[in-house]
Amino acid sequence: MKTLVIISSVINPIDKPLSYTATRNIYTAEERYIQTLQTIQSVREKLPNSYIALLECSGNIEKFENQPRRLIEDTDEYYNYYEDQIARKDVESEFKGLGEVTILLKFLKNTDLSRFGSLFKLSGRYYLNDTFNINAYENDDNIFKYFPQCAVVSTRFFKIGKFYFNDFIDNLEESRSFLKNGKGMEATFCKLIYPFKHIDNLGVSGNIAVDGTLIEE
């Protein structure tokens, strides 16, 4: 069975503060586009049996030559939810996780998940690096990197096992009330998604949008 890899992305974000920082993003839309292509390429290389769905929510990307066409060609499914008023409102809100959960739900509720043996979520602009070990994910577990000192999980990259697909959708629905009240996605998922298996090394790298810090998990 194919492995579903969902890449969530906002290539052309608005200039509006987030709840935890006045700077939403330091990268241009062109830079974010190139980073997203790197994300897609890394999945093709490291997860050869992958079925990639790119979930976008950006306006005015058509002005950047070849961007929509290339994104469509390089993925198996491409959706831009910018014209969906609920999705756009949540993505452009001060709560970053809320928008991501909203577009995940819109996609998952309209997808036949029985086709897939597992589900990965990878944040756009992050990429699978050379330490990624596919063998660590070849099971039916939910897999997250857990940080016990602050009781959070990384939401940049995680895996949901096939027997937990419906539970995950329910978890996403439940998480919306927490996220709307300012709770972080990392703490919310840690609280709601159970059981999960901790992994020390996700095999993921990328730069944080708000300040450019390189993250390797």
Side-chain angles (χ1 to χ4, degrees), residues 2-8 39 43 47 49-55 76-77 107 116 118-122 128 157:
K2 287 280 189 178
T3 296
L4 174 61
V5 181
I6 301 173
I7 299 172
S8 57
T39 302
V43 173
L47 282 168
N49 195 40
S50 60
Y51 183 95
I52 300 177
L54 176 60
L55 312 185
D76 296 290
E77 294 188 43
F107 172 74
F116 305 109
S118 58
L119 181 163
F120 289 86
K121 198 285 296 189
L122 177 60
L128 303 182
F157 182 66

Side-chain angles (χ1 to χ4, degrees), residues 122-181:
L122 177 60
S123 295
R125 304 184 316 98
Y126 289 86
Y127 56 91
L128 303 182
N129 62 37
D130 289 338
T131 70
F132 177 79
N133 179 12
I134 192 172
N135 295 323
Y137 296 94
E138 291 184 333
N139 50 59
D140 294 326
D141 297 321
N142 298 328
I143 297 180
F144 287 80
K145 184 169 185 176
Y146 173 57
F147 299 90
Q149 65 272 24
C150 44
V152 299
V153 293
S154 174
T155 57
R156 295 183 179 94
F157 182 66
F158 58 82
K159 179 204 160 197
I160 301 296
K162 62 181 178 181
F163 299 116
Y164 301 99
F165 288 168
N166 290 333
D167 289 340
F168 180 54
I169 293 173
D170 291 341
N171 294 152
L172 291 175
E173 290 278 18
E174 189 176 357
S175 74
R176 285 178 52 80
S177 61
F178 292 91
L179 298 170
K180 285 180 178 179
N181 288 309

Side-chain angles (χ1 to χ4, degrees), residues 3-46:
T3 296
L4 174 61
V5 181
I6 301 173
I7 299 172
S8 57
S9 180
V10 181
I11 289 174
N12 190 26
I14 62 170
D15 184 15
K16 178 182 176 181
L18 292 167
S19 60
Y20 58 92
T21 176
T23 303
R24 197 179 192 98
N25 166 65
I26 65 169
Y27 296 105
T28 66
E30 290 89 345
E31 289 171 327
R32 291 175 69 94
Y33 167 67
I34 292 169
Q35 291 166 341
T36 302
L37 291 179
Q38 181 184 20
T39 302
I40 297 166
Q41 181 181 4
S42 75
V43 173
R44 292 297 188 205
E45 291 176 354
K46 307 294 185 184

